[in-house]
Amino acid sequence: MLEKLIELEKCALQELESVENLDSLEKFRVTYLGKKGMVLSAMKALRELPAQERPKAGQLANQIKDQLLKRFEEKRESLGSKNSRAPAFLDVTLSGREPARGRFHPITQVLEEICHIFERMGFRIVKGPNVELDYYNFEALNIPKDHPARDMQDTFYISDNVVLRTQTSPMQVRVMENQPPPVSIISPGKVYRRDSDVSHTPMFHQVEGLLVDKGITLGDLKGTLTAFVHQMFGRDTGLRFRPSFFPFTEPSAEVDIQCVICLGKGCRTCSNTGWLEILGSGMVDPEVYRFVGYDSEIYSGFAFGLGIERIAMLKYGIDDIQHFFKNDMRFLRQF
Ligand code: DAH
């Protein structure tokens, strides 16, 4: 009986050796290792043996079965890897798949462009907190608690004295508080207002600018902002300074550029005026200097604040501000 088992193993191994594809491997499995295969039949036959021979023969039969199973698995693996993983012919001249490349969000791109323009003019970039004290967001900018200007900005209050900043202007105060003049900074970042429609989102971006030194005039303000508009929208873009009011500047002006859609003729985007408002500005109000301890008899300066989404919409002709924050790749891929 033992010789028969050894002979069976020899045959099986020989046959396995000559197997060259998965089909003949399957045939091998059925013949030797299947339910009605030769190994199990041989094991059943062991029952016929006399009791004292059975353990030894049983042990051998089990060893043989394990050995065959192991070799069978090895063969299956080697055939499998040959068939599925390694192609018969590798074309090394095929061009590769282009990796999906990331890019910056259009708001980030426009924000960086604006910052670069002012950096080239010598402004330093500073960043400030989004959660801001009422004092910096309003009080020290000459907007006391009962001031009607607070109504223009629907504010998210964290507590009585803490808000989500509604503008980047508080950075004017924070910077002046920390250093003597001269100052020339821009401060980009997020701001928040309870507002949502085609031209408003509860979170949006602004860039604040501030320049204070001896002898700064409205002419410097006009020159700086004109240089900015020409670099941002092109040399031929007309602009105008329109008198306005902000509590922290006196006098104040809003800057309009010639409508980039109709080039000043009048269209839907500019409400037929030919002009588009892009920023607020003015000469820093002496009252603000009082809060930070600057001498308004010696120093003067200008400030401005511009909305990034608005500028990005004008630059790219986007009609709904909500597009920026929907994370629709079809929109974002265009920039
Ligand atoms: N902070 C103003 C706003 O959000 C914009 C602004 C106007 C900023 C005039 C200024 C400025 O620095 O001088 O509406």
Side-chain angles (χ1 to χ4, degrees), residues 164-183:
L164 291 183
R165 66 177 180 187
T166 58
Q167 49 187 352
T168 42
S169 306
M171 284 310 290
Q172 293 185 29
V173 182
R174 283 186 176 272
V175 169
M176 287 193 278
E177 215 177 49
N178 271 317
Q179 70 163 92
V183 170

Side-chain angles (χ1 to χ4, degrees), residues 5 12 29 36 62 89 109 115 118 154 165 184 222 266 278 282 288 297 308 314:
L5 285 172
R29 192 190 64 78
K36 291 183 180 149
N62 272 324
F89 173 65
Q109 291 184 33
C115 287
F118 285 109
D154 249 332
R165 66 177 180 187
S184 62
K222 283 186 85 170
I278 59 158
V288 177
E297 295 296 319
I308 312 300
L314 296 179

Side-chain angles (χ1 to χ4, degrees), residues 184-228:
S184 62
I185 57 104
I186 52 167
S187 189
K190 292 179 167 49
V191 299
Y192 307 83
R193 293 182 199 179
R194 252 193 88 237
D195 219 347
S196 189
D197 58 34
V198 289
S199 53
H200 297 88
T201 44
M203 183 283 299
F204 60 104
H205 299 78
Q206 286 187 339
V207 172
E208 192 76 13
L210 174 71
L211 188 142
V212 181
D213 203 345
K214 287 178 183 154
I216 300 297
T217 68
L218 195 65
D220 297 304
L221 165 66
K222 283 186 85 170
T224 306
L225 294 179
T226 303
F228 164 71

Side-chain angles (χ1 to χ4, degrees), residues 256-327:
D256 299 339
I257 60 168
Q258 220 169 34
C259 180
V260 286
I261 311 287
C262 64
L263 302 176
K265 288 195 200 81
C267 68
R268 229 173 46 128
T269 306
C270 60
S271 314
N272 280 317
T273 61
W275 294 97
L276 297 161
E277 179 199 323
I278 59 158
L279 60 87
S281 66
M283 302 305 289
V284 179
D285 194 304
E287 198 56 24
V288 177
Y289 291 138
R290 203 175 53 77
F291 277 100
V292 298
Y294 279 17
D295 187 341
S296 61
E297 295 296 319
I298 303 175
Y299 294 101
S300 58
F302 63 80
F304 57 88
L306 35 96
I308 312 300
E309 279 78 0
R310 179 143 180 90
I311 289 185
M313 286 168 83
L314 296 179
K315 200 172 159 79
Y316 297 121
I318 297 163
D319 59 0
D320 185 344
I321 194 175
Q322 309 278 349
H323 284 314
F324 287 125
F325 306 114
K326 281 187 180 153
N327 283 342

